[in-house]
Amino acid sequence: IYGWLPSVSGQTAFPAGGTGPSVSVDADKLLEHLKFAFMGTLEVQRGPWGVWTDVIYLNLGNSVSATRDFILPQRAIPADVTANFDYDLKAWLWTIAGTYSLIKKPEYSLQALLGARMIDAKQSLDFDFSGNIASLGLPARSGSAEVTMTNWDAVIGVKGRASFGDGLKWFVPYYLDVGTGQSKLTWQGIVGVGYAFSWGSIVGAWRYLDYEFKSGSPIENISFNGPAIGLMFRW
């Protein structure tokens, strides 16, 4: 079990309704508050073979007033136009993979993995524009929009740990995967440091997860980047 506190960046084009232009916003400029999160990972091994899975649920949101952090494609925004936004992001991220031990020594281990990752993301935006919006072609000064996406991608990668110190109790865990499918490209990297006890271990790490979606997708890209701390139990 672990806690991950990522910053979120990416760009989404929300339909403004009717024949009006989309409203494109950057998540990293709007998101500040984590409302709820759940995270956990489980691995089962028998001999060199194994199954590894990781599940993340994030609910983030924020309200901003009088901001100019938005884009209307192919339209210049007048200097007096600002917007109030109420932005919300909910996302499930699930990775499942089969693993095979290539190296398994007390000092070092290396596993190859092959599997799939799913992202199920829902972004909603309530907006209210102020100023002279006549030239922007918006159907109304205020409104709401929602964008949802569920993508599956095949992933391939490696994971393992390097142990050191007295009794090899200290270790450096690492993980790297890359994949594609319904997304143009997704990749994830984790590196950290941990200490082993008789019951398991405690780990601090840095984790980066990135998605680049295919052309025409309302969610152009999204990434999660930040520190994590976890407890690993073995039985």
Side-chain angles (χ1 to χ4, degrees):
I1 57 174
Y2 65 94
W4 185 30
L5 298 174
S7 61
V8 182
S9 62
Q11 193 166 66
T12 302
F14 290 89
T19 58
S22 60
V23 181
S24 185
V25 299
D26 293 323
D28 52 332
K29 295 180 179 179
L30 298 184
L31 282 178
E32 291 182 359
H33 305 298
L34 176 65
K35 296 179 179 179
F36 179 78
F38 169 80
M39 305 156 193
T41 186
L42 177 68
E43 183 173 8
V44 178
Q45 286 186 308
R46 182 178 178 86
W49 297 95
V51 176
W52 177 86
T53 187
D54 178 78
V55 177
I56 302 167
Y57 175 74
L58 295 171
N59 184 351
L60 307 101
N62 195 24
S63 296
V64 294
S65 300
T67 182
R68 288 180 59 83
D69 288 329
F70 64 94
I71 299 170
L72 297 176
Q74 301 179 345
R75 286 169 169 80
I77 302 173
D80 68 333
V81 172
T82 61
N84 301 322
F85 289 141
D86 186 3
Y87 176 71
D88 189 71
L89 166 64
K90 297 181 177 71
W92 284 95
L93 297 153
W94 178 37
T95 306
I96 184 167
T99 64
Y100 184 80
S101 293
L102 302 174
I103 301 173
K104 192 171 184 179
K105 298 180 178 180
E107 310 86 29
Y108 184 72
S109 67
L110 173 65
Q111 294 175 301
L113 64 92
L114 177 65
R117 178 156 56 245
M118 181 271 291
I119 179 171
D120 182 55
K122 175 182 176 181
Q123 298 185 52
S124 58
L125 181 72
D126 295 327
F127 54 88
D128 178 16
F129 291 97
S130 61
N132 182 14
I133 67 168
S135 63
L136 300 181
L138 293 169
R141 283 188 174 271
S142 62
S144 61
E146 185 177 282
V147 170
T148 60
M149 170 183 288
T150 301
N151 274 25
W152 283 92
D153 300 285
V155 295
I156 186 171
V158 294
K159 62 187 281 295
R161 61 196 287 176
S163 302
F164 62 96
D166 186 27
L168 301 179
K169 292 185 178 297
W170 290 96
F171 63 93
V172 174
Y174 62 89
Y175 177 99
L176 180 65
D177 73 30
V178 62
T180 188
Q182 289 182 295
S183 306
K184 184 177 180 180
L185 179 69
T186 177
W187 71 275
Q188 178 176 207
I190 307 170
V191 66
V193 63
Y195 188 83
F197 300 91
S198 59
W199 48 264
S201 54
I202 184 170
V203 179
W206 197 271
R207 183 175 190 171
Y208 186 90
L209 174 58
D210 183 78
Y211 272 92
E212 183 179 352
F213 299 105
K214 292 181 179 179
S215 177
S217 172
I219 304 177
E220 298 176 18
N221 55 77
I222 192 168
S223 62
F224 306 86
N225 179 30
I229 186 168
L231 295 174
M232 300 172 62
F233 301 94
R234 296 180 179 274
W235 65 90

